[in-house]
């Protein structure tokens, strides 16, 4: 090639690089990541002539590969969250059966009829222990009686894995009485049509101080559905150390959200493993957990959310954690208005990964705290609408932190990734870890650190040092069993 040709080739290459860089910076300004642009290009080009659709398909795959890297399921380490991760001494430390005054109220159930009769006749302090086996129900199990703080009503297995409860019904446990506790159960949806298995637990109305600990729940559209009824709301619930997943995409146009909380206040969602919540029909938008409907004071901490752990390559948008979700119809709001979807909520010390959309999404939620989360292979943190205000502190984000549509974000000392980097296939946050795809999240070198002023624990339950690492955990080895 002669000198003139080399000059022209160089100029063309520089022009192409300039155009590419300008396009990446423009898309960064618009807040459009490759994982969002790719499906849009593929959808818009589909149905055209073979050349156009072929180019669109190629561009979609290329953009997704830049942002999400190679396809395939994520590994699943044995996390110190989810069912079976909680030591037995903690699993029932507040249950009534451990106190002398309640031990005499312990009851055993060895058949579906026994379970139903025991729940119907339940009194404060009853501990209904299911004997080992499989229990199948074709109609709802109602929890109507009222327990008390000193004498809750407990439904449990002696040991996790010994009892399987199968439901072929729209709702499994329908809880409307206060102070009920469920622990150590395996609960499975067994419906031939996905829309018939809506909720494993429907907690509504006066069912305040509901507790679910150390359960494994699968194959429902909403493993926990929480909402008001008759002007009353089931406040102050706890969902702790549960495993929530589905074995296949849910063939429904209705909501798919393992923890679907509407209008209730004061809930804690802690140390759960949430995965594979794929909505295969309708708008194909699903969430791992959300709190909305004008409630307040929800704490979401120390959870592992893998939007697509085994079920990958499906169309649609998966969001990890959210305050506000997709919004709430006014009749279902606590204040009948939903001026804000959630107030004073906290999302802290969570690992969120493998999401086709945002890892954390805030929609019309005021005074939100987003603290020390690790987000990998997600669309980052997205705060939206003028009603939203969020303090975003100490997070490690493989993606971007952005405010849009008038939202207010105070981002203090986070490590995130500019969108322009993603169009170059550059992921500096992922490079901090040994192998993100295998979920080997041990640090390659000394982790980046920041000063904290108050005592805090990380995702693994370990006390953080004064110079704490960014993100959800100090030492990932403490987070696996």
């Amino acid at each position: 090639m002669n000198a003139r040709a080399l000059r022209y080739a160089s100029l063309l290459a520089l022009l192409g690089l300039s155009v590419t860089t300008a396009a990446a910076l423009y898309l960064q300004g618009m807040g459009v990541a490759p994982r969002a642009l790719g499906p849009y290009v593929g959808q818009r080009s589909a149905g055209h002539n073979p050349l156009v659709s072929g180019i669109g398909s190629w561009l979609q795959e290329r953009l997704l590969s830049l942002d999400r890297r190679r396809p395939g399921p994520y590994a699943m380490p044995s996390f110190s969250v989810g069912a079976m991760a909680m030591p037995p001494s903690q699993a029932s430390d507040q249950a009534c059966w451990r106190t002398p005054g309640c031990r005499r109220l312990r009851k055993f159930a060895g058949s579906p009829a026994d379970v139903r009769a025991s729940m119907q006749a339940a009194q404060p302090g009853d501990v209904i222990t299911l004997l080992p086996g499989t229990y199948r129900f074709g109609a709802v199990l109602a929890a109507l009686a009222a327990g008390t703080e000193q004498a809750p009503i407990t439904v449990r297995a002696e040991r996790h894995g010994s009892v399987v409860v199968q439901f072929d019904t729209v709702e499994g446990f329908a809880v409307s009485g206060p102070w009920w506790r469920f622990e150590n159960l395996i609960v499975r949806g067994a419906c031939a049509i996905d829309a018939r298995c809506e909720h494993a637990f429907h907690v509504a109305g006066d069912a305040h101080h509901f507790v679910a600990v150390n359960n494994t729940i699968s194959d429902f559209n909403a493993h926990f559905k929480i909402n008001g009824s008759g002007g009353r709301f089931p406040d102050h619930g706890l969902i702790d150390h549960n495993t929530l997943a589905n074995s296949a995409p849910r063939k429904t146009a209705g909501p798919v959200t393992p923890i679907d909380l509407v209008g209730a206040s004061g809930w804690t969602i802690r140390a759960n493993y949430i995965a594979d919540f794929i909505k295969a029909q309708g708008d194909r938008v699903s969430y791992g957990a959300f709190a909305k409907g004008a409630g307040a004071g929800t704490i979401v901490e120390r959870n592992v959310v893998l939007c697509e752990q085994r079920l990958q390559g499906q169309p649609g948008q998966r969001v990890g954690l959210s305050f506000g979700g997709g919004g709430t119809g006014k009749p279902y709001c606590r204040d009948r208005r939903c001026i804000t979807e959630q107030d004073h909520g906290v999302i802290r010390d969570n690992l969120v990964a493998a999401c086709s959309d945002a890892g954390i999404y805030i929609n019309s939620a005021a005074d939100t705290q987003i603290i020390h989360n690790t987000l990998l292979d997600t669309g980052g943190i997205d705060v939206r609408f003028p009603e939203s205000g969020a303090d975003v502190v100490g997070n490690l984000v493989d993606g971007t932190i952005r405010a849009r549509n008038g939202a207010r974000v105070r981002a203090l000392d986070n490590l995130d990734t500019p969108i322009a980097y993603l169009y170059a296939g550059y992921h500096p946050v992922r490079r901090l870890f040994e192998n993100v795809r295998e979920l080997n999240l041990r640090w390659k070198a000394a982790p980046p650190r920041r000063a904290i002023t108050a005592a805090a624990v990380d995702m693994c339950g370990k006390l953080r040092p004064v110079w704490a690492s960014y993100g959800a955990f100090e030492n990932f080895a403490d987070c696996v069993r």
Side-chain angles (χ1 to χ4, degrees):
M1 184 179 291
N2 59 37
R4 177 177 293 180
L6 282 172
R7 285 197 298 273
Y8 282 135
S10 299
L11 287 171
L12 288 171
L14 287 171
L15 179 61
L17 180 61
S18 299
V19 170
T20 301
T21 302
L25 291 174
Y26 173 77
L27 290 167
Q28 175 171 298
M30 295 292 292
V32 179
R35 73 183 59 223
L37 182 60
Y40 175 78
V41 170
Q43 182 181 16
R44 295 293 294 176
S45 62
H48 290 272
N49 66 64
L51 177 62
V52 172
S53 62
I55 292 173
S57 178
W58 179 85
L59 280 172
Q60 176 177 344
E61 292 179 8
R62 179 59 180 160
L63 288 165
L64 289 176
S65 68
L66 287 170
D67 199 349
R68 307 202 63 185
R69 299 299 175 91
R70 66 182 178 85
Y74 271 73
M76 182 179 170
S78 184
F79 285 109
S80 59
V81 303
M84 294 290 288
M86 176 176 283
S89 62
Q90 296 180 32
S92 298
D93 61 359
Q94 295 181 25
C96 180
W97 69 273
R98 282 190 172 272
T99 65
C102 290
R103 191 175 295 275
R104 62 186 175 84
L105 299 174
R106 195 170 185 181
K107 300 179 178 180
F108 292 91
S111 70
D114 287 348
V115 176
R116 187 177 301 279
S118 296
M119 291 181 63
Q120 287 175 345
Q123 299 292 319
D126 280 4
V127 177
I128 303 166
T129 300
L130 278 64
L131 298 177
T134 298
Y135 299 74
R136 188 179 180 94
F137 298 93
V140 65
L141 286 175
L144 302 173
T148 68
E149 181 176 5
Q150 293 74 28
I153 301 169
T154 302
V155 179
R156 66 188 298 273
E158 189 72 42
R159 179 177 56 83
H160 183 278
S162 65
V163 171
V164 177
V165 178
Q166 296 180 343
F167 286 112
D168 183 3
T169 180
V170 173
E171 295 181 354
F173 294 101
V175 185
S176 55
W179 294 100
W180 281 76
R181 178 185 179 96
F182 296 82
E183 62 180 39
N184 298 340
L185 303 173
I186 295 176
V187 184
R188 293 177 181 158
C191 301
I193 300 172
D194 288 350
R196 282 187 50 82
C197 277
E198 285 286 351
H199 318 312
F201 290 88
H202 188 184
V203 185
D206 201 37
H208 57 83
H209 291 93
F210 168 90
V211 176
V213 176
N214 205 45
N215 303 287
T216 296
I217 308 172
S218 60
D219 296 329
F220 292 91
N221 298 331
H223 302 55
F224 292 96
K225 173 67 177 180
I226 303 128
N227 61 268
S229 178
R232 303 181 70 86
F233 289 85
D235 295 339
H236 307 299
L238 172 65
I239 300 174
D240 188 12
H241 276 87
N242 299 279
T243 294
L244 314 176
N246 290 317
S247 60
R250 303 297 293 171
K251 297 176 182 178
T252 178
V256 173
T257 301
I259 301 178
D260 180 331
L261 192 162
V262 181
S265 293
W267 277 67
T268 298
I269 299 168
R270 176 191 298 137
N272 302 285
Y273 176 81
I274 306 171
D276 289 331
F277 40 92
I278 312 297
K279 180 177 174 179
Q281 297 176 356
D283 63 9
R284 293 179 172 173
V285 178
S286 55
Y287 300 81
F290 61 52
K292 62 179 186 175
T298 303
I299 297 174
V300 182
E301 62 183 3
R302 296 172 51 200
N303 301 280
V304 172
V305 181
L306 301 182
C307 298
E308 304 163 2
Q309 189 259 319
R310 292 181 306 104
L311 305 179
Q312 299 225 335
Q314 302 291 325
Q317 291 78 52
R318 265 71 66 188
V319 178
L321 300 171
S322 177
F323 289 152
T328 310
K330 291 183 179 181
Y332 307 103
C333 298
R334 191 181 185 108
D335 60 1
R336 300 289 180 176
R337 296 181 296 172
C338 271
I339 295 172
T340 58
E341 291 283 349
Q342 175 75 196
D343 290 342
H344 316 303
V346 178
I347 299 176
R348 65 189 175 208
D349 303 311
N350 301 281
L351 169 63
V352 184
C355 301
S356 60
D357 208 303
I360 296 175
Y361 175 55
I362 306 302
N363 170 11
S364 301
D367 190 25
T368 299
Q369 305 289 313
I370 303 174
I371 305 170
H372 274 278
N373 301 280
T374 295
L375 278 62
L376 301 169
D377 183 19
T378 82
I381 298 174
D382 193 356
V383 184
R384 193 175 185 192
F385 299 123
E387 296 81 5
S388 291
D391 286 348
V392 183
V393 182
N395 298 279
L396 194 58
V397 184
D398 175 35
T400 192
I401 301 168
R402 62 182 179 140
R404 57 190 180 119
N405 300 101
R408 301 174 307 283
V409 172
R410 186 170 65 156
L412 302 173
D413 200 10
N414 304 277
L415 296 181
D416 64 339
T417 306
I419 287 177
Y421 285 16
L422 305 179
Y423 282 95
Y426 180 52
H427 296 265
V429 168
R430 293 185 203 177
R431 293 162 68 97
L432 296 171
F433 302 106
E434 290 285 349
N435 189 328
V436 169
R437 175 61 62 174
E438 297 296 328
L439 285 181
N440 175 3
L441 302 184
R442 291 171 173 81
W443 303 104
K444 280 185 179 179
R449 296 190 175 275
R450 59 183 300 273
I452 60 175
T453 58
V457 298
D458 69 357
M459 189 184 85
C460 317
K462 301 295 183 180
L463 186 67
R464 290 187 183 271
V466 173
W467 283 96
S469 63
Y470 288 80
F473 47 82
E474 296 293 323
N475 180 1
F476 188 69
D478 294 329
C479 293
V480 295
R481 290 178 284 165

